[in-house]
């Protein structure tokens, strides 16, 4: 495990690499790394995500993504649709491969456990399995010559052991990079998250290389006093960056809430490429680094988002109309 | 106190209130429920505060039987985990709870539904040249496919209630058997994993259920709407021969709970 700056970490990601992100929709996304990826103008990335969110909408809008494999894109309550994925689906410019959420879990789990595929009965009978809608096949990429693209979207076999009927097989995902936001990392790289673990532990295991951006680096002895909350050992982590507020505008349980107003404003901007570009100029290209981003957000805004110590989320944000 | 159980009068509630209340009445005490974001959350929390205190709620991001004291805005929210029995992740919820068969009831939404209960949240039009791209499946088809029963909560519009959806994101009673794509009963595709399917669809105009052949029929009409109005907002030939009458109005207590306990901040009940 190597301590590294965010700029150096992101410079290791090559155009065309396959990447997966930690978190869940608008929670615990490694946003500071996403912004830096946009700043360094990564191109033709292959995103294979358990689910999409604000992070992937930004990368797609900024022209960083060539392939998007996932199950959902949006911003939860703060933006109904993933407008950028939707735009590429309607107007081209990106290969889209739709699986279900459970399928993506199964595929990343297979990758994490070193298996070529995972059996599942999830989302049988749906058009997700319609061969006419196979994005990689349409693009002529299922010829076996692309290491990250399986030769079939799925297979259905008959249970060879108990004769229980048909079962779906889903191909493993082993991305080049897992890009992970963690609540805390130890000095030797032990990783802790504060709440729902989502698929973060498996993501770390399935990837060739792992970059973790941690809200804070803490003594290993502190994390080892209570090891049941840790999700990965240091030897699984390749690069570690410490950066407070690195998940903003997504939420980080115990540290800060989702910045709903920020995501709402982004969602509005994402409805057209021209407004997206203006947004990206203001919030990414116009800012040198994460420090400048935090300064632009300002202390008042960040203090409102700061989590209540007992509850793990903020009681000071106005979330509704009352 | 007793008058809190009195029904409100038409005009003393908003359409979304009745939607939440009618959905909450589908929750059975003791059910293990897997719910999506939004109205499903309101329905379950309301039911837990009224007739179903022993209903358990699982959110797909990893919380099992949480007791949120502040309404979550999504299933990944920190608020979902308050006083949960287990906080876990997606392997546990999708495989350890859903796939292995613990889930009694799924509470989900959808953009379009057809007469067989197939739901579309992926595209409007042809997938290969769509008019509109929606969010995508999320966990909807996984949860709906493997729960014993599903309750869908939807907006009633003619274009949303179709003879056949443009894309089957989430399985109803008549689904497609791949690789050929022929339409068959869900049982034929799910085999030993067949546990049930869509049981009710609650909209802002009425409550729909499915007959022995897995075809949707109108069960009750919300007060203020006529059967004909509902029929006009469905684009297939809706079976109205089994209508039982009007949907029961919310009680004063249910409305109070919705606004004072479940969603006091006005997040979904804006």
């Amino acid at each position: 495990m190597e301590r590294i700056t965010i700029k150096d970490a992101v410079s290791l990601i090559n155009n065309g690499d396959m990447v997966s992100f930690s978190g869940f929709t608008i929670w615990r996304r490694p946003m500071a790394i996403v912004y830096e990826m946009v700043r360094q103008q990564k191109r033709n990335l292959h995103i294979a995500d358990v689910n999409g969110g604000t992070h992937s909408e930004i990368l797609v809008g900024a022209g960083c993504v060539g392939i998007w494999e996932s199950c959902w894109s949006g911003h939860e309550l703060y933006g109904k649709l993933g407008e950028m994925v939707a735009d590429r689906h309607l107007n081209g410019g990106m290969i889209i491969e739709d699986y279900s959420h459970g399928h993506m879990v199964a595929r990343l789990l297979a990758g994490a456990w070193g298996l070529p595929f995972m059996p599942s009965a999830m989302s049988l009978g749906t058009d997700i399995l319609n061969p006419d809608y196979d994005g990689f096949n349409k693009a002529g990429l299922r010829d076996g010559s692309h290491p990250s693209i399986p030769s079939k979207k799925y297979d259905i076999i008959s249970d060879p052991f108990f004769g229980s009927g048909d079962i779906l097989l889903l191909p493993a995902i082993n991305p080049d990079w897992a890009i992970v936001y963690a609540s805390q990392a130890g000095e030797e790289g032990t990783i802790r998250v504060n709440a729902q673990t989502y698929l973060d532990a498996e993501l770390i295991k399935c990837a060739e290389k792992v970059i973790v951006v941690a809200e804070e680096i803490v003594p290993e002895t502190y994390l080892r006093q209570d090891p049941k909350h840790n999700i990965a050992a240091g030897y699984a982590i390749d690069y570690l960056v410490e950066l407070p507020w690195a998940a903003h505008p997504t939420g980080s349980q115990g540290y800060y809430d989702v910045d709903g107003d920020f995501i709402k404003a982004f969602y509005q901007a994402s409805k057209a490429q021209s407004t997206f570009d203006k947004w990206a100029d203001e919030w990414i290209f116009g800012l040198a680094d994460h420090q400048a981003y935090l300064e632009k957000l300002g202390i008042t805004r960040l203090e409102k988002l700061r989590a209540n110590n007992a509850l793990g989320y903020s009681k000071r944000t106005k979330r509704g109309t009352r | 106190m007793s008058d809190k159980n009195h029904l409100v009068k038409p005009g003393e509630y908003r359409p979304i209130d009745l939607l939440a209340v009618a959905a909450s009445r589908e929750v059975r005490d003791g059910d293990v429920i897997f719910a999506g974001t939004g109205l499903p959350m309101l329905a379950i929390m309301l039911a837990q505060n009224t007739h179903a205190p022993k209903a358990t709620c699982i959110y797909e991001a990893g919380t099992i039987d949480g007791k949120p004291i502040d309404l979550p805005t999504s299933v990944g929210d920190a608020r979902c985990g308050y006083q949960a029995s287990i906080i876990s992740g997606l392997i546990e919820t999708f495989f350890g709870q859903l796939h292995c068969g613990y889930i009694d009831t799924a509470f989900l939404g959808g953009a379009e539904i057809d007469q067989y209960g197939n739901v579309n949240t992926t595209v409007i039009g042809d997938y290969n040249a769509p008019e509109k791209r929606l969010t995508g499946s999320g966990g909807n088809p996984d949860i709906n496919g493997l729960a014993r029963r599903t309750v869908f909560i939807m907006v009633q519009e003619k274009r949303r209630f179709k003879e056949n959806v443009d894309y089957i994101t989430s399985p109803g009673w008549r689904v497609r058997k791949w690789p050929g794509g022929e339409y068959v009963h869900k049982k034929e595709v799910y085999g030993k994993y067949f546990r049930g399917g869509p049981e009710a669809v609650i909209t802002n105009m009425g409550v729909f259920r499915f007959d022995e052949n897995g075809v949707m029929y109108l069960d009750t009409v919300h007060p203020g709407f006529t059967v004909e109005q509902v029929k006009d907002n469905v684009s297939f030939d809706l079976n109205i021969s089994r209508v039982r009458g009007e949907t029961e109005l919310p009680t004063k207590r249910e409305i109070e709970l919705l606004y004072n306990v479940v969603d006091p901040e006005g997040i979904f009940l804006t």
Side-chain angles (χ1 to χ4, degrees), chain B residues 12 24 65-66 71 110 118 152 160-161 170 174 177 186 199-200 221 224 226 228 234 237 255 268-269:
Chain B
E12 289 181 350
S24 86
D65 201 16
L71 186 64
N118 294 307
F152 281 110
R160 292 174 183 269
F161 276 66
S170 196
R174 190 166 173 267
K177 190 173 172 67
K186 184 185 174 191
E199 190 178 277
V221 183
T226 66
E228 283 313 309
V234 170
D237 187 18
I255 300 290
F268 297 106
L269 298 172

Side-chain angles (χ1 to χ4, degrees), chain A residues 98 100 102 123 138 257 313, chain B residues 60 70 76 79 127-128 133 142:
Chain A
D98 275 300
S100 77
S123 291
K138 276 184 286 174
D257 224 308
Y313 52 86
Chain B
E60 70 196 276
D70 293 295
R79 292 159 184 80
Y127 182 86
N128 289 325
R133 163 85 196 193
D142 310 311

Side-chain angles (χ1 to χ4, degrees), chain A residues 33-46:
Chain A
I33 295 186
V34 166
Y35 291 141
E36 186 58 27
M37 288 167 80
V38 172
R39 244 178 240 121
Q40 294 190 18
Q41 302 190 45
K42 301 296 172 188
R43 288 292 175 267
N44 203 29
L45 297 174
H46 176 170

Side-chain angles (χ1 to χ4, degrees), chain B residues 3 7 17 59-60 72 87 145 172 184 189 200 249:
Chain B
D3 91 311
L7 303 178
D17 305 343
Y59 291 124
E60 70 196 276
I87 286 198
V184 296
V189 171
L249 287 162

Side-chain angles (χ1 to χ4, degrees), chain B residues 88-232:
Chain B
S88 62
L90 305 184
I91 308 294
E92 176 64 17
T93 55
F94 278 99
F95 281 99
Q97 299 288 331
L98 178 67
H99 208 286
C100 70
Y102 279 115
I103 307 304
D104 296 310
T105 304
F107 261 82
L108 299 163
E112 285 192 329
I113 193 164
D114 70 19
Q115 57 184 330
Y116 305 111
N118 294 307
V119 162
N120 175 14
T121 63
T122 305
V123 287
I124 304 297
D126 174 5
Y127 182 86
N128 289 325
E131 293 156 39
K132 191 172 169 57
R133 163 85 196 193
L134 308 172
T135 54
S137 69
N140 194 314
D142 310 311
I143 302 162
N144 167 40
L146 294 174
R148 285 179 192 85
R149 57 193 279 261
T150 299
V151 178
F152 281 110
I153 302 175
M154 291 189 50
V155 177
Q156 183 86 52
E157 279 183 63
K158 201 177 182 79
R159 64 188 176 102
R160 292 174 183 269
F161 276 66
K162 288 187 160 167
E163 190 158 1
N164 292 292
V165 286
D166 292 341
Y167 180 102
I168 300 177
T169 306
S170 196
W173 293 103
R174 190 166 173 267
V175 298
R176 303 189 77 177
K177 190 173 172 67
W178 301 109
E182 58 274 23
Y183 287 88
V184 296
H185 192 280
K186 184 185 174 191
K187 221 177 347 192
E188 279 190 46
V189 171
Y190 276 73
K192 72 168 270 200
Y193 294 97
F194 175 74
R195 297 167 185 154
E199 190 178 277
V201 183
I202 321 261
T203 77
N204 46 310
M205 294 178 82
V207 176
F208 303 78
R209 297 192 191 275
F210 294 85
D211 67 18
E212 305 67 31
N213 299 314
V215 177
M216 194 190 295
Y217 66 88
L218 183 59
D219 182 39
T220 62
V221 183
H222 296 343
F225 295 103
T226 66
V227 171
E228 283 313 309
Q229 277 175 309
V230 178
K231 208 169 157 53
D232 285 347

